[in-house]
Amino acid sequence: PNEDEDLNQLIFNDIKIYKKNINYNNNYKNIDFESKIEELHSEILKRKISWEEGSCPIILNRWNFLEESINVIKDIDIYKEWKINFVGETNYDAGGIMREWLTTLFKTMEGDNLKLFVQSETDDYSYIINPFLKRNKYNFKYFDFIGKLMAKALIDNITVNICFNKIIYKMILQENIEFDELVFINKPLYDSIKNMKSSGVRDEIECTGLCLYYNIEMKDTDDNIHSFDIIENGKDTLVNNIDDYIDKRIDFMLGLYEPFIKRIRDSLYNIIPKNVIEKFTSDQFELLLNGRPFIDIEDWKQFTEYREPYNSNHYIINWFWEILSQLSQKELSNLLMFSTGSSRVPLGGFSSLESNRGNTARFTIESIPYVENKKNFIKAHTCFNRLDIPYFSDKNELKEAIQFVCNNEILGFGID
Protein backbone atom coordinates (compact mmCIF):
# COMPACT_ATOMS: atom_id res chain seq x y z
CA PRO A 1 0.00 0.00 0.00
CA ASN A 2 1.11 3.56 -0.64
CA GLU A 3 1.81 6.10 2.09
CA ASP A 4 -1.66 7.68 1.90
CA GLU A 5 -3.34 4.28 2.27
CA ASP A 6 -1.20 3.52 5.33
CA LEU A 7 -2.13 6.89 6.86
CA ASN A 8 -5.79 6.29 6.00
CA GLN A 9 -5.83 3.10 8.09
CA LEU A 10 -4.09 4.82 11.00
CA ILE A 11 -6.73 7.56 10.89
CA PHE A 12 -9.54 4.98 11.06
CA ASN A 13 -7.91 3.44 14.12
CA ASP A 14 -7.54 6.81 15.84
CA ILE A 15 -11.17 7.71 15.08
CA LYS A 16 -12.26 4.67 17.07
CA ILE A 17 -9.95 5.52 19.96
CA TYR A 18 -11.15 9.13 20.25
CA LYS A 19 -14.86 8.29 19.94
CA LYS A 20 -14.53 5.52 22.50
CA ASN A 21 -13.17 8.02 25.05
CA ILE A 22 -15.51 10.97 24.46
CA ASN A 23 -16.72 12.26 27.81
CA TYR A 24 -20.50 12.61 27.65
CA ASN A 25 -20.86 13.27 31.39
CA ASN A 26 -21.63 16.99 31.55
CA ASN A 27 -22.92 17.09 35.12
CA TYR A 28 -19.71 18.50 36.61
CA LYS A 29 -19.30 20.85 33.65
CA ASN A 30 -22.18 22.85 35.16
CA ILE A 31 -20.23 23.60 38.36
CA ASP A 32 -19.55 27.34 38.50
CA PHE A 33 -16.26 28.46 36.99
CA GLU A 34 -14.86 30.00 40.18
CA SER A 35 -15.30 26.75 42.11
CA LYS A 36 -13.41 24.85 39.41
CA ILE A 37 -10.57 27.38 39.53
CA GLU A 38 -10.40 27.11 43.33
CA GLU A 39 -10.16 23.33 43.10
CA LEU A 40 -7.41 23.60 40.47
CA HIS A 41 -5.39 26.02 42.59
CA SER A 42 -5.89 23.81 45.64
CA GLU A 43 -4.54 20.77 43.80
CA ILE A 44 -1.58 22.79 42.52
CA LEU A 45 -0.76 24.12 46.01
CA LYS A 46 -0.62 20.54 47.34
CA ARG A 47 2.17 19.81 44.88
CA LYS A 48 3.92 23.14 44.41
CA ILE A 49 7.31 23.50 46.13
CA SER A 50 8.00 26.82 47.84
CA TRP A 51 10.74 29.01 46.36
CA GLU A 52 12.30 28.97 49.83
CA GLU A 53 13.23 25.32 49.19
CA GLY A 54 15.23 26.30 46.15
CA SER A 55 14.71 26.91 42.45
CA CYS A 56 15.75 25.19 39.22
CA PRO A 57 18.14 27.16 37.00
CA ILE A 58 17.62 26.66 33.27
CA ILE A 59 20.65 27.74 31.25
CA LEU A 60 20.03 28.02 27.51
CA ASN A 61 21.72 29.15 24.33
CA ARG A 62 19.48 31.67 22.62
CA TRP A 63 20.24 30.32 19.13
CA ASN A 64 18.95 26.83 19.98
CA PHE A 65 16.69 27.52 22.92
CA LEU A 66 13.70 25.39 21.76
CA GLU A 67 15.58 22.10 21.47
CA GLU A 68 17.61 22.86 24.58
CA SER A 69 14.43 23.74 26.50
CA ILE A 70 12.86 20.40 25.56
CA ASN A 71 15.92 18.51 26.75
CA VAL A 72 16.49 20.50 29.95
CA ILE A 73 12.99 20.27 31.42
CA LYS A 74 12.99 16.47 31.16
CA ASP A 75 15.09 16.32 34.31
CA ILE A 76 13.80 19.19 36.46
CA ASP A 77 10.96 19.39 38.94
CA ILE A 78 8.00 21.11 37.31
CA TYR A 79 6.55 22.04 40.71
CA LYS A 80 9.65 24.06 41.62
CA GLU A 81 10.32 27.67 40.66
CA TRP A 82 12.26 27.87 37.38
CA LYS A 83 14.87 30.53 36.62
CA ILE A 84 15.58 31.11 32.91
CA ASN A 85 19.00 32.44 31.92
CA PHE A 86 20.83 32.69 28.61
CA VAL A 87 24.49 31.98 28.05
CA GLY A 88 26.53 35.16 27.71
CA GLU A 89 23.79 37.44 29.06
CA THR A 90 23.59 39.19 32.41
CA ASN A 91 20.10 38.86 33.74
CA TYR A 92 18.12 37.73 36.74
CA ASP A 93 14.77 36.04 36.24
CA ALA A 94 12.22 37.20 38.79
CA GLY A 95 9.35 35.94 36.63
CA GLY A 96 9.40 38.17 33.57
CA ILE A 97 11.90 36.13 31.58
CA MET A 98 9.94 32.98 32.44
CA ARG A 99 6.77 34.54 31.01
CA GLU A 100 8.54 35.69 27.84
CA TRP A 101 10.19 32.28 27.47
CA LEU A 102 6.82 30.49 27.55
CA THR A 103 5.26 32.90 25.07
CA THR A 104 8.22 32.69 22.69
CA LEU A 105 8.28 28.88 22.85
CA PHE A 106 4.64 28.63 21.77
CA LYS A 107 5.19 31.23 19.05
CA THR A 108 8.18 29.26 17.76
CA MET A 109 6.27 25.97 17.66
CA GLU A 110 3.35 27.62 15.88
CA GLY A 111 5.72 29.10 13.28
CA ASP A 112 6.35 27.89 9.74
CA ASN A 113 9.80 26.37 10.25
CA LEU A 114 8.68 23.24 12.11
CA LYS A 115 5.40 22.82 10.18
CA LEU A 116 3.74 21.38 13.29
CA PHE A 117 0.72 23.61 12.71
CA VAL A 118 -1.01 25.30 9.80
CA GLN A 119 -3.31 28.29 9.86
CA SER A 120 -6.99 27.36 10.04
CA GLU A 121 -9.24 28.22 7.10
CA THR A 122 -11.47 30.33 9.30
CA ASP A 123 -12.32 33.96 9.99
CA ASP A 124 -10.27 34.03 13.18
CA TYR A 125 -6.50 33.78 13.43
CA SER A 126 -5.69 30.35 14.83
CA TYR A 127 -3.56 27.29 14.23
CA ILE A 128 -4.59 23.68 13.76
CA ILE A 129 -2.28 20.68 13.66
CA ASN A 130 -0.72 20.03 10.25
CA PRO A 131 -2.80 17.08 8.97
CA PHE A 132 0.23 15.69 7.11
CA LEU A 133 2.58 15.82 10.07
CA LYS A 134 4.56 12.58 10.36
CA ARG A 135 3.57 10.40 13.30
CA ASN A 136 7.03 9.82 14.68
CA LYS A 137 9.05 10.32 17.86
CA TYR A 138 10.65 13.50 16.52
CA ASN A 139 7.28 15.26 16.15
CA PHE A 140 5.63 13.65 19.16
CA LYS A 141 8.27 15.17 21.45
CA TYR A 142 6.97 18.67 20.62
CA PHE A 143 3.42 17.75 21.64
CA ASP A 144 4.66 16.13 24.86
CA PHE A 145 6.47 19.41 25.47
CA ILE A 146 3.33 21.47 24.77
CA GLY A 147 1.43 19.51 27.43
CA LYS A 148 4.21 20.20 29.96
CA LEU A 149 4.26 23.90 29.09
CA MET A 150 0.48 24.13 29.54
CA ALA A 151 0.82 22.49 32.93
CA LYS A 152 3.65 24.84 33.95
CA ALA A 153 1.61 27.87 32.87
CA LEU A 154 -1.27 26.67 35.07
CA ILE A 155 1.05 25.89 38.00
CA ASP A 156 2.67 29.33 37.90
CA ASN A 157 -0.58 31.12 36.93
CA ILE A 158 1.04 32.55 33.80
CA THR A 159 -1.12 33.85 30.96
CA VAL A 160 0.21 32.68 27.59
CA ASN A 161 -1.12 33.68 24.19
CA ILE A 162 -1.49 30.26 22.54
CA CYS A 163 -3.13 30.70 19.13
CA PHE A 164 -4.55 27.19 18.99
CA ASN A 165 -7.80 26.46 17.20
CA LYS A 166 -10.81 25.81 19.45
CA ILE A 167 -11.00 22.21 18.23
CA ILE A 168 -7.63 21.50 19.86
CA TYR A 169 -8.99 22.52 23.26
CA LYS A 170 -12.16 20.49 22.69
CA MET A 171 -10.12 17.42 21.83
CA ILE A 172 -7.82 17.84 24.83
CA LEU A 173 -10.95 17.79 27.01
CA GLN A 174 -12.34 14.88 24.91
CA GLU A 175 -15.57 16.69 24.15
CA ASN A 176 -18.00 15.62 21.45
CA ILE A 177 -17.69 17.71 18.29
CA GLU A 178 -20.86 18.78 16.50
CA PHE A 179 -21.38 19.83 12.90
CA ASP A 180 -21.54 23.58 13.65
CA GLU A 181 -18.07 23.38 15.18
CA LEU A 182 -16.65 22.44 11.79
CA VAL A 183 -16.67 26.19 11.15
CA PHE A 184 -13.69 26.49 13.54
CA ILE A 185 -11.58 24.28 11.26
CA ASN A 186 -12.61 24.99 7.69
CA LYS A 187 -15.22 27.66 7.05
CA PRO A 188 -15.48 27.13 3.25
CA LEU A 189 -16.15 23.42 3.84
CA TYR A 190 -18.65 24.24 6.60
CA ASP A 191 -20.50 26.72 4.35
CA SER A 192 -20.60 24.21 1.48
CA ILE A 193 -22.07 21.41 3.61
CA LYS A 194 -24.45 23.81 5.35
CA ASN A 195 -25.79 24.86 1.95
CA MET A 196 -26.41 21.20 1.09
CA LYS A 197 -28.26 20.71 4.37
CA SER A 198 -30.35 23.86 3.98
CA SER A 199 -31.25 22.99 0.38
CA GLY A 200 -33.19 20.02 1.71
CA VAL A 201 -30.88 17.30 0.36
CA ARG A 202 -31.80 14.35 2.55
CA ASP A 203 -33.09 11.25 0.83
CA GLU A 204 -31.04 8.70 -1.04
CA ILE A 205 -32.12 9.80 -4.54
CA GLU A 206 -31.22 13.46 -3.98
CA CYS A 207 -27.87 12.57 -2.41
CA THR A 208 -26.99 10.18 -5.21
CA GLY A 209 -27.67 12.97 -7.69
CA LEU A 210 -24.84 14.99 -6.12
CA CYS A 211 -22.33 12.32 -7.22
CA LEU A 212 -20.64 12.74 -3.84
CA TYR A 213 -18.42 9.94 -2.59
CA TYR A 214 -17.05 9.11 0.87
CA ASN A 215 -13.67 10.27 -0.34
CA ILE A 216 -11.86 13.58 0.03
CA GLU A 217 -8.79 15.22 -1.45
CA MET A 218 -6.44 17.36 0.63
CA LYS A 219 -3.40 19.49 -0.17
CA ASP A 220 -0.29 19.28 1.96
CA THR A 221 1.98 22.25 2.75
CA ASP A 222 3.81 21.72 -0.56
CA ASP A 223 0.51 21.75 -2.53
CA ASN A 224 0.67 18.03 -3.28
CA ILE A 225 -2.81 16.46 -3.48
CA HIS A 226 -3.65 13.38 -1.40
CA SER A 227 -6.78 11.25 -1.57
CA PHE A 228 -8.41 9.70 1.52
CA ASP A 229 -11.44 7.53 2.16
CA ILE A 230 -13.54 8.62 5.11
CA ILE A 231 -15.10 5.15 5.30
CA GLU A 232 -13.75 1.82 4.12
CA ASN A 233 -13.78 1.79 0.26
CA GLY A 234 -15.07 5.37 0.35
CA LYS A 235 -13.89 6.27 -3.14
CA ASP A 236 -16.29 3.65 -4.51
CA THR A 237 -19.24 4.45 -2.23
CA LEU A 238 -21.79 7.11 -3.16
CA VAL A 239 -23.16 9.23 -0.34
CA ASN A 240 -26.82 8.39 0.24
CA ASN A 241 -27.30 10.31 3.50
CA ILE A 242 -25.91 13.82 3.94
CA ASP A 243 -25.99 13.69 7.76
CA ASP A 244 -23.99 10.47 7.73
CA TYR A 245 -21.49 12.10 5.37
CA ILE A 246 -21.10 15.04 7.76
CA ASP A 247 -20.53 12.72 10.70
CA LYS A 248 -17.88 10.81 8.78
CA ARG A 249 -16.10 14.04 7.75
CA ILE A 250 -15.92 15.13 11.39
CA ASP A 251 -14.77 11.68 12.48
CA PHE A 252 -12.01 11.80 9.88
CA MET A 253 -10.83 15.15 11.25
CA LEU A 254 -10.68 13.69 14.78
CA GLY A 255 -8.59 10.77 13.54
CA LEU A 256 -6.14 13.13 11.86
CA TYR A 257 -5.42 15.11 15.02
CA GLU A 258 -5.93 12.61 17.84
CA PRO A 259 -2.42 11.02 18.01
CA PHE A 260 -0.88 14.47 18.54
CA ILE A 261 -3.61 15.75 20.88
CA LYS A 262 -3.20 12.58 22.92
CA ARG A 263 0.45 13.46 23.54
CA ILE A 264 -0.59 16.89 24.84
CA ARG A 265 -3.37 15.39 26.96
CA ASP A 266 -1.25 12.62 28.49
CA SER A 267 1.61 14.99 29.27
CA LEU A 268 -0.75 17.50 30.90
CA TYR A 269 -2.59 14.86 32.95
CA ASN A 270 0.70 13.39 34.08
CA ILE A 271 1.29 16.65 35.95
CA ILE A 272 -2.19 17.93 36.85
CA PRO A 273 -4.85 15.28 37.64
CA LYS A 274 -7.33 14.55 34.85
CA ASN A 275 -10.30 14.68 37.23
CA VAL A 276 -9.47 18.35 37.95
CA ILE A 277 -8.91 19.51 34.36
CA GLU A 278 -11.82 17.63 32.78
CA LYS A 279 -14.34 19.59 34.88
CA PHE A 280 -13.63 22.66 32.78
CA THR A 281 -15.33 23.18 29.46
CA SER A 282 -12.96 23.67 26.54
CA ASP A 283 -13.82 27.39 26.45
CA GLN A 284 -13.01 27.73 30.15
CA PHE A 285 -9.75 25.82 29.74
CA GLU A 286 -8.75 28.12 26.88
CA LEU A 287 -9.51 31.15 29.07
CA LEU A 288 -7.42 29.72 31.91
CA LEU A 289 -4.39 29.43 29.66
CA ASN A 290 -4.83 32.47 27.44
CA GLY A 291 -6.55 34.96 29.71
CA ARG A 292 -8.76 37.67 28.27
CA PRO A 293 -8.58 38.12 24.49
CA PHE A 294 -9.50 41.83 24.70
CA ILE A 295 -7.38 44.53 26.35
CA ASP A 296 -9.61 47.04 28.15
CA ILE A 297 -7.70 50.32 28.51
CA GLU A 298 -9.99 51.56 31.28
CA ASP A 299 -9.28 48.40 33.29
CA TRP A 300 -5.56 48.84 32.60
CA LYS A 301 -5.70 52.47 33.71
CA GLN A 302 -7.72 51.72 36.85
CA PHE A 303 -5.19 49.21 38.16
CA THR A 304 -1.98 51.09 37.31
CA GLU A 305 0.31 52.52 39.97
CA TYR A 306 2.74 55.42 39.58
CA ARG A 307 6.09 56.33 41.11
CA GLU A 308 6.91 59.95 41.93
CA PRO A 309 7.05 62.38 40.27
CA TYR A 310 4.45 60.66 38.08
CA ASN A 311 0.85 60.45 39.25
CA SER A 312 -2.56 59.93 37.64
CA ASN A 313 -2.82 63.64 36.79
CA HIS A 314 0.69 64.15 35.44
CA TYR A 315 0.79 65.45 31.86
CA ILE A 316 3.03 62.58 30.67
CA ILE A 317 0.62 60.02 32.17
CA ASN A 318 -2.29 61.77 30.46
CA TRP A 319 -0.37 61.63 27.18
CA PHE A 320 0.36 57.95 27.74
CA TRP A 321 -3.30 56.97 28.08
CA GLU A 322 -4.37 59.23 25.22
CA ILE A 323 -1.83 57.52 22.95
CA LEU A 324 -2.92 54.05 24.08
CA SER A 325 -6.56 54.88 23.33
CA GLN A 326 -5.58 55.28 19.66
CA LEU A 327 -3.78 51.94 19.38
CA SER A 328 -5.16 48.75 17.85
CA GLN A 329 -5.60 45.58 19.93
CA LYS A 330 -2.52 44.13 18.21
CA GLU A 331 -0.44 47.15 19.17
CA LEU A 332 -1.73 47.08 22.74
CA SER A 333 -0.89 43.39 22.90
CA ASN A 334 2.69 44.10 21.77
CA LEU A 335 3.06 46.85 24.37
CA LEU A 336 1.70 44.57 27.10
CA MET A 337 4.12 41.84 26.01
CA PHE A 338 7.01 44.30 26.17
CA SER A 339 5.96 45.50 29.62
CA THR A 340 4.96 42.28 31.39
CA GLY A 341 6.28 39.34 29.36
CA SER A 342 2.76 38.29 28.40
CA SER A 343 0.62 39.56 25.53
CA ARG A 344 -2.67 38.62 27.21
CA VAL A 345 -4.43 39.98 30.28
CA PRO A 346 -5.04 37.50 33.14
CA LEU A 347 -8.52 36.09 33.56
CA GLY A 348 -9.19 38.49 36.44
CA GLY A 349 -8.07 41.54 34.45
CA PHE A 350 -5.27 43.94 35.30
CA SER A 351 -6.04 43.70 39.01
CA SER A 352 -4.76 40.10 38.79
CA LEU A 353 -1.26 40.82 37.46
CA GLU A 354 1.21 38.86 39.58
CA SER A 355 4.87 38.25 40.19
CA ASN A 356 6.26 34.76 39.64
CA ARG A 357 5.59 33.91 43.29
CA GLY A 358 1.89 34.66 43.17
CA ASN A 359 2.08 38.10 44.78
CA THR A 360 0.10 41.01 43.35
CA ALA A 361 2.34 43.05 41.06
CA ARG A 362 0.32 45.91 39.57
CA PHE A 363 1.35 47.50 36.32
CA THR A 364 3.58 50.42 37.34
CA ILE A 365 4.92 53.47 35.53
CA GLU A 366 8.13 55.10 36.74
CA SER A 367 10.06 58.08 35.45
CA ILE A 368 13.63 58.00 34.16
CA PRO A 369 15.77 60.96 33.08
CA TYR A 370 15.39 62.39 29.61
CA VAL A 371 18.71 62.64 27.77
CA GLU A 372 19.07 65.67 25.53
CA ASN A 373 20.28 65.27 21.94
CA LYS A 374 19.78 61.51 22.08
CA LYS A 375 17.06 59.05 21.08
CA ASN A 376 15.06 58.25 24.21
CA PHE A 377 13.26 54.92 24.60
CA ILE A 378 10.81 53.56 27.10
CA LYS A 379 12.18 50.62 29.12
CA ALA A 380 10.50 47.60 30.62
CA HIS A 381 11.08 45.43 33.68
CA THR A 382 8.91 42.44 32.84
CA CYS A 383 9.62 40.72 36.15
CA PHE A 384 7.89 43.57 37.96
CA ASN A 385 5.31 44.62 35.31
CA ARG A 386 6.97 48.02 35.25
CA LEU A 387 7.43 50.54 32.46
CA ASP A 388 10.03 53.31 32.68
CA ILE A 389 9.10 56.42 30.72
CA PRO A 390 11.61 59.24 30.16
CA TYR A 391 10.57 62.72 31.19
CA PHE A 392 9.52 63.74 27.69
CA SER A 393 8.63 67.36 26.98
CA ASP A 394 7.01 66.51 23.64
CA LYS A 395 3.97 64.24 23.26
CA ASN A 396 5.07 63.18 19.78
CA GLU A 397 8.36 61.85 21.17
CA LEU A 398 6.45 59.68 23.66
CA LYS A 399 4.14 58.51 20.88
CA GLU A 400 7.12 57.63 18.68
CA ALA A 401 8.72 55.65 21.53
CA ILE A 402 5.51 53.69 22.17
CA GLN A 403 4.95 53.05 18.45
CA PHE A 404 8.51 51.75 18.15
CA VAL A 405 7.71 49.04 20.70
CA CYS A 406 4.27 48.27 19.23
CA ASN A 407 5.40 48.05 15.61
CA ASN A 408 8.57 46.05 16.18
CA GLU A 409 7.10 43.38 18.51
CA ILE A 410 10.13 43.56 20.79
CA LEU A 411 10.38 40.15 22.46
CA GLY A 412 13.78 40.29 24.14
CA PHE A 413 14.29 38.46 27.40
CA GLY A 414 15.10 41.55 29.37
CA ILE A 415 17.86 42.42 31.77
CA ASP A 416 16.01 42.52 35.06
Side-chain angles (χ1 to χ4, degrees):
N2 64 38
E3 189 173 333
D4 287 347
E5 288 174 340
D6 285 340
L7 177 57
N8 219 142
Q9 192 55 53
L10 289 171
I11 291 168
F12 287 147
N13 293 338
D14 287 316
I15 289 169
K16 294 173 185 175
I17 292 170
Y18 185 82
K19 295 197 77 174
K20 181 180 177 182
N21 293 292
I22 288 176
N23 190 346
Y24 291 101
N25 181 6
N26 292 319
N27 292 335
Y28 50 65
K29 298 279 186 182
N30 297 324
I31 300 171
D32 69 274
F33 194 18
E34 291 301 321
S35 296
K36 296 176 188 177
I37 293 173
E38 287 177 14
E39 182 182 358
L40 172 64
H41 289 167
S42 175
E43 287 294 330
I44 288 171
L45 282 173
K46 290 177 187 176
R47 297 165 172 78
K48 196 168 184 180
I49 299 170
S50 170
W51 61 270
E52 296 169 324
E53 297 181 44
S55 59
C56 297
I58 298 177
I59 312 298
L60 304 168
N61 283 293
R62 190 180 292 277
W63 64 271
N64 192 35
F65 86 104
L66 172 58
E67 296 298 332
E68 287 195 359
S69 296
I70 292 172
N71 291 328
V72 167
I73 73 163
K74 288 178 183 175
D75 302 317
I76 63 175
D77 193 329
I78 200 164
Y79 290 106
K80 272 193 169 185
E81 185 177 284
W82 293 359
K83 298 288 188 184
I84 312 296
N85 287 283
F86 287 87
V87 174
E89 298 182 14
T90 303
N91 51 40
Y92 174 76
D93 184 13
I97 302 176
M98 174 72 181
R99 291 193 290 269
E100 291 184 33
W101 174 72
L102 278 172
T103 298
T104 308
L105 281 170
F106 277 110
K107 191 167 187 177
T108 301
M109 286 187 285
E110 290 168 346
D112 293 335
N113 289 341
L114 294 175
K115 295 186 178 180
L116 301 175
F117 298 89
V118 293
Q119 195 167 337
S120 306
E121 296 183 64
T122 56
D123 292 335
D124 66 334
Y125 181 80
S126 67
Y127 288 97
I128 194 67
I129 296 165
N130 179 358
F132 292 97
L133 192 63
K134 300 292 184 183
R135 302 173 176 216
N136 56 35
K137 290 181 179 180
Y138 177 80
N139 289 324
F140 283 151
K141 73 177 180 182
Y142 292 111
F143 293 90
D144 292 333
F145 187 54
I146 287 169
K148 286 183 181 179
L149 293 184
M150 285 182 171
K152 187 59 176 172
L154 293 174
I155 289 168
D156 288 2
N157 203 23
I158 294 174
T159 301
V160 185
N161 186 9
I162 311 172
C163 298
F164 287 168
N165 189 279
K166 287 182 178 294
I167 295 297
I168 291 179
Y169 295 105
K170 290 187 75 69
M171 291 188 69
I172 290 173
L173 274 293
Q174 294 175 297
E175 294 180 353
N176 190 35
I177 300 191
E178 308 287 349
F179 163 67
D180 285 341
E181 290 162 327
L182 191 60
V183 72
F184 298 134
I185 296 289
N186 189 319
K187 191 173 185 298
L189 173 63
Y190 170 79
D191 289 340
S192 174
I193 296 177
K194 190 176 180 180
N195 286 337
M196 280 193 281
K197 283 171 68 71
S198 61
S199 66
V201 176
R202 280 293 183 275
D203 62 36
E204 184 173 346
I205 295 174
E206 289 177 316
C207 287
T208 303
L210 295 173
C211 293
L212 185 65
Y213 289 82
Y214 284 95
N215 177 267
I216 61 173
E217 290 186 343
M218 298 173 61
K219 281 186 179 181
D220 61 23
T221 52
D222 296 319
D223 286 335
N224 298 313
I225 297 175
H226 303 259
S227 177
F228 296 99
D229 290 343
I230 59 174
I231 64 170
E232 299 287 350
N233 301 314
K235 63 179 175 295
D236 301 317
T237 308
L238 273 169
V239 173
N240 57 19
N241 183 297
I242 195 66
D243 291 320
D244 181 63
Y245 174 75
I246 291 168
D247 290 341
K248 296 300 188 293
R249 283 296 300 253
I250 293 173
D251 287 350
F252 182 80
M253 173 193 72
L254 302 181
L256 275 174
Y257 305 138
E258 172 57 13
F260 304 103
I261 301 289
K262 184 179 186 301
R263 305 302 290 231
I264 298 176
R265 188 190 304 124
D266 289 349
S267 182
L268 173 65
Y269 289 161
N270 191 44
I271 299 165
I272 300 177
K274 176 182 178 181
N275 68 313
V276 175
I277 298 294
E278 68 181 0
K279 291 180 182 176
F280 293 95
T281 66
S282 54
D283 287 339
Q284 291 170 341
F285 183 65
E286 183 180 1
L287 270 174
L288 273 177
L289 287 168
N290 289 335
R292 297 183 179 185
F294 180 79
I295 297 175
D296 183 339
I297 294 177
E298 288 304 312
D299 181 50
W300 194 345
K301 186 175 180 180
Q302 181 181 351
F303 294 103
T304 293
E305 297 179 352
Y306 308 97
R307 302 266 179 89
E308 290 292 342
Y310 290 158
N311 57 60
S312 59
N313 295 316
H314 196 282
Y315 72 89
I316 287 181
I317 299 305
N318 289 333
W319 286 350
F320 177 79
W321 295 116
E322 285 171 14
I323 293 166
L324 261 61
S325 69
Q326 299 166 4
L327 299 180
S328 67
Q329 282 291 309
K330 175 64 174 172
E331 290 170 324
L332 290 171
S333 178
N334 290 342
L335 180 62
L336 186 65
M337 179 71 196
F338 175 75
S339 306
T340 69
S342 176
S343 59
R344 288 287 191 102
V345 185
L347 193 57
F350 280 91
S351 65
S352 299
L353 285 181
E354 295 181 348
S355 68
N356 66 320
R357 291 172 183 164
N359 300 316
T360 299
R362 294 278 171 85
F363 181 79
T364 302
I365 299 178
E366 185 168 326
S367 71
I368 54 175
Y370 177 86
V371 182
E372 295 287 346
N373 302 317
K374 186 180 178 181
K375 195 77 170 177
N376 285 260
F377 297 97
I378 58 177
K379 299 179 181 179
H381 305 263
T382 57
C383 297
F384 311 106
N385 301 323
R386 194 175 91 220
L387 199 62
D388 292 347
I389 300 180
Y391 217 86
F392 291 106
S393 59
D394 186 327
K395 181 179 178 181
N396 286 329
E397 273 194 276
L398 173 58
K399 184 174 182 178
E400 185 180 339
I402 292 172
Q403 286 286 359
F404 178 79
V405 170
C406 295
N407 295 338
N408 288 284
E409 297 189 42
I410 298 172
L411 292 175
F413 285 92
I415 295 175
D416 59 1

